[in-house]
Amino acid sequence: HMHLVESGGGTVQPGGSLKLSCAASGDTNDDNYMAWFRQNPGEEREGVASIARVSRITRYAEAVKGRFTVSLDNDKNTMYLQMNNLKPEDTAMYYCAAAIRLDFARSRLDSAQYTHWGPGTQVTVSS
């Protein structure tokens, strides 16, 4: 079984930056595809960014393109999300997720495709 743990969340002013980390442990053979999602209370979970471990193909939600960058450090079994020029609407609980395989007929940012989830880290953007 694989475990995912996020870190790096916090409170930042608009225009600021944060870097989230997602450390994978246990059976890390289950993380061929990894992604970041975010969610606010009462709202649906939204895909933010995804990355494939081998091909390093990435996908981003339109709302974060040009501001967020997802990356992987295979040696550390850690995924990162560099978030720049943060906006109040980026405020949410951020979750990392992993999957062995994806159905490429569906979006790589579809949360239903991912089987392993971390507990989340809160990001608040406020002045």
Side-chain angles (χ1 to χ4, degrees):
H1 188 69
M2 186 173 68
H3 297 277
L4 300 173
V5 178
E6 304 92 340
S7 62
T11 300
V12 64
Q13 292 186 343
S17 297
L18 281 175
K19 186 173 184 178
L20 305 183
S21 299
C22 171
S25 61
D27 185 0
T28 56
N29 291 322
D30 290 353
D31 60 352
N32 291 328
Y33 302 92
M34 299 189 73
W36 289 99
F37 292 83
R38 64 187 183 186
Q39 187 175 26
N40 283 306
E43 298 179 3
E44 289 189 2
R45 191 163 293 190
E46 173 191 23
V48 175
S50 70
I51 186 166
R53 177 171 291 279
V54 175
S55 70
R56 300 305 175 106
I57 291 174
T58 58
R59 293 288 187 270
Y60 295 94
E62 286 296 325
V64 306
K65 279 183 179 178
R67 299 188 298 122
F68 290 11
T69 302
V70 61
S71 61
L72 273 175
D73 184 329
N74 286 339
D75 290 339
K76 296 181 179 179
N77 287 320
T78 300
M79 176 178 62
Y80 302 98
L81 185 68
Q82 177 67 47
M83 305 186 295
N84 298 328
N85 191 22
L86 282 160
K87 304 176 181 181
E89 51 264 42
D90 295 317
T91 295
M93 184 72 78
Y94 282 70
Y95 300 91
C96 68
I100 297 175
R101 63 185 63 84
L102 297 181
D103 177 357
F104 296 117
R106 300 162 61 184
S107 170
R108 292 178 185 236
L109 298 180
D110 180 352
S111 61
Q113 298 229 64
Y114 293 84
T115 54
H116 296 85
W117 292 86
T121 186
Q122 178 68 35
V123 172
T124 302
V125 184
S126 174
S127 55

